Amino acid sequence: MGSCERKSVQAMFGSNVFSDLVMRERLPKNAYRDLKRAIEEGRELSPALADVVANAMKDWAIEKGATHFCHWFQPMTGVTAEKHDSFISPTPDGRTIMEFSGRELIKGEPDASSFPSGGLRATFEARGYTAWDCTSPVFVKEDGENVTLYIPSAFCSYTGDALDKKTPLLRSMEALSRQAIRILRAFGNSTAGRVTATLGAEQEYFLLDRKYFERRLDLMLTGRTLFGAPPPKGQEMEDHYFGSLPERVASFMREVNEELWKLGVSAKTQHKEVAPGQYEIAPVFTTVNIASDHNQLTMNTLEKVALRHGFVCLLHEKPFAGVNGSGKHNNWSIHADDGQNLLDPGRTPHENAQFLIFLCALIRAVDRYAPLLRASVATAGNDHRLGANEAPPAIISIFLGDQLTDILEQLERGGARRSKGGGVLKIGVSHLPPLPKDSTDRNRTSPLAFTGNKFEFRMVGSSMSCAGPMFMLNIIVADVLKEIADELDGARDVNAKAQKILQRIAREHKRIVFNGNNYSEEWIEEARRRGLPNLKNAVDALAVLKGKETLDLFERHCVLSRREMLARHEILLDAYSKTINIEALTACSMARRQILPAAVEYAGGLARQLAALQEAGADAGFAKKALAAVSERIEKAAARLEELDAAQREAAAVEGSEKRAAAFRDRVIPAMAELRAEVDALEAVVDARIWPLPTYAEMLFSR
Ligand code: ADP
Ligand code: MG
């Protein structure tokens, strides 16, 4: 496309979204007003209103070229799902009209029997239903020639149990708003009506030339390389981070941005990441449920556009051993609808008091519910990152920076002399010193860092839905806010009471604050001394989900019922086992059908050449040694293959999801690692022309 044909970014932005502006233009005044109110209050639309809205949407979508609509939902697979229906409605005279009813907008009934339900949906009742989340705008999406109207939806079983990631996220936003508003009221705010959590998700990914991808069964089936000797050059020169973009990548990014802008996703930042072939894209933050939908669209767009440029986009947490994996930093804050960012320290003492309450609520929540936060990012893929000296460790802690830590210490002492200003820090009376927002102050190793006016949760895996970690953060903070609001409610002097509460939190929970290097061995020791949990793998981490405390917490705030939570625990464990099972089967298949045959072919050729050399009376030293080396390694790799094969069968046969997952973790993962070590050693001695797989050097460094 020539640059003169390009639409301006302003014209493009949101052009495929049924936005507020479009609604105002296209809906009758009353319908617009009622819809806005329903969106703001999260209420259901009346059938009459739904019909009016659906009709306007249909006309708009058809003008954009749409022929179909779909309810777009987020089952527990972590990716999105959609089932397309066309607008056509045949008439008795053999023609057709284009129809879209309010009922179709509000509710879909996909056959849900093949989505994970953790036992929530009896197989005889296969139906589930999807319901429009009217707080997330409808949009049209262009895929090739096909244009479809997308309706962001929640997904439930027929009995109303949540089977998706969106439902608990929406419920957690309600819970958080409810409790945060109580705190604002306690501090005399009567104007704010709603508080929303916000999210800005920084997405990391790899780009790989498609020709290599197609020759690697492991990448195709598991998203990561199961074999591959380290290349002569890795990321040690640190020359990739923030480097200039190769032209093909730059063109790819331009197209990604344009597609996202059309969908109203405010893609903003893009750069090269630490590992060769690794990149990042980040949007401007927005309401957490919309941001979470937008992140799904971003992942989908990256994958789709990559193919057009001869790339494959890898979203896996660890596509390549030995270089950095990919994460998804979730920047999170809470905003009141009167314009305040509640995690902004503010300028007046009054704002400070309120800020400190919200800050300390988060500190208490994270310390008390650390295992839950850890569980919210527990997947087989993310286990490769957490604790591997490239991503935060599996130990949860908070980075506050020097100044806030100093303030926390003063709070603990209950109004000691302020070191920096010399006065006494009395909340609601004193000013806070200005806190630095400058990025040089940031600790890149912390799992949860305060960065000026938001928290950055860095443990989230690159391929994960943001919804899980975000509803967890929302709910644990809501719970502590509830506790604090209960105390403040009865207080005569709110500031004095708040000071007491802050003192107690500082005393009880300061152990969760750590400003040092989270990657160091010393921290692991120190964390143990502090009694902080270190849940190193997903199976251990997930166990907390079925604990009484968790079930009570989620029921207390009406986010997930006991049944729903226990089902989720099952689903996540099952996903873990299935992931490792597929990896093991893929590794076995590649070793048996590609790698060992190639190595044997090489050995056979060597043997023939060695005989010829010896017959000719030539000096055959190298050929002899090479044959001995490769033969020995073939035998070793073959033995490891049989061991992995046995371990996989054994684990797959274990009854009970928890025991099965543990078997995959304890038996299969180590067996895979052993096979890999032998295969990688074999790679180092086999003729490059015979080796059947693209190497790390080719995959990471070719442009
Ligand atoms: P980095 O962490 O790479 O230095 P920034 O701090 O500028 O980058 O922003 C990272 C992300 O945080 C962006 O997506 C940005 O929109 C988001 N962000 C900024 N303020 C907030 C907020 N109040 N709530 C949620 N996300 C925010
Ligand atoms: Mg960041």
Side-chain angles (χ1 to χ4, degrees), residues 367-582:
D367 188 28
R368 183 179 289 166
Y369 295 115
L372 267 182
L373 263 192
R374 170 67 184 92
S376 78
V377 295
T379 63
N382 217 14
D383 273 1
H384 296 284
R385 285 176 68 239
L386 302 178
N389 276 355
E390 56 171 79
I395 306 163
I396 305 259
S397 66
I398 297 177
F399 170 84
L400 279 186
D402 291 344
Q403 252 159 314
L404 271 186
T405 306
D406 180 56
I407 288 165
L408 197 69
E409 280 161 8
Q410 293 175 50
L411 291 173
E412 186 190 355
R413 291 193 297 268
R417 298 243 140 233
R418 180 142 42 109
S419 54
K420 303 215 161 71
V424 172
L425 183 71
K426 277 263 180 270
I427 80 149
V429 183
S430 334
H431 287 268
L432 290 187
L435 303 172
K437 284 186 191 164
D438 154 31
S439 56
T440 53
D441 189 51
R442 292 186 197 172
N443 180 332
R444 293 276 161 192
T445 67
S446 175
L448 192 62
F450 184 72
T451 51
N453 57 6
K454 63 183 192 296
F455 273 92
E456 186 169 341
F457 187 33
R458 303 207 180 100
M459 293 173 100
V460 185
S462 51
S463 70
M464 293 178 63
S465 159
C466 298
M470 289 295 97
F471 80 63
M472 208 58 97
L473 203 48
N474 287 346
I475 185 72
I476 64 175
V477 173
D479 194 55
V480 173
L481 289 176
K482 174 178 186 304
E483 197 175 274
I484 295 175
D486 288 347
E487 280 197 62
L488 288 180
D489 270 355
R492 254 183 297 121
D493 180 345
V494 171
N495 283 332
K497 184 80 191 173
Q499 181 107 20
K500 281 232 165 60
I501 294 172
L502 294 173
Q503 180 176 16
R504 207 164 60 229
I505 292 180
R507 190 181 306 139
E508 287 170 11
H509 301 288
K510 65 174 181 215
R511 65 170 190 165
I512 198 74
V513 175
F514 179 63
N515 295 327
N517 179 7
N518 285 255
Y519 295 177
S520 69
E521 280 302 316
E522 296 84 77
W523 168 231
I524 298 189
E525 260 315 300
E526 167 69 18
R528 200 192 334 266
R529 270 197 299 278
R530 294 189 190 184
L532 300 177
N534 184 2
L535 298 162
K536 289 191 193 143
N537 62 76
V539 183
D540 286 347
L542 289 172
V544 66
L545 296 183
K546 60 174 187 181
K548 182 175 181 319
E549 209 190 351
T550 305
L551 300 174
D552 289 350
L553 167 71
F554 276 81
E555 284 205 325
R556 184 152 68 241
H557 297 278
C558 306
V559 172
L560 286 172
S561 70
R562 217 186 139 74
R563 263 159 63 82
E564 289 171 323
M565 192 45 137
L566 292 174
R568 246 153 240 264
H569 180 234
E570 280 289 305
I571 292 170
L572 293 167
L573 280 173
D574 220 37
Y576 177 90
S577 295
K578 285 176 177 160
T579 303
I580 311 292
N581 193 43
I582 293 169

Side-chain angles (χ1 to χ4, degrees), residues 181 420 481 630 649:
I181 285 289
K420 303 215 161 71
L481 289 176
V630 73
R649 280 167 208 273

Side-chain angles (χ1 to χ4, degrees), residues 198-200 202 283-285 331 333 335 341 442 444 454 456:
T198 50
L199 164 67
E202 304 167 54
V284 177
F285 73 93
N331 294 271
S333 188
H335 291 245
N341 175 352
R442 292 186 197 172
R444 293 276 161 192
K454 63 183 192 296
E456 186 169 341

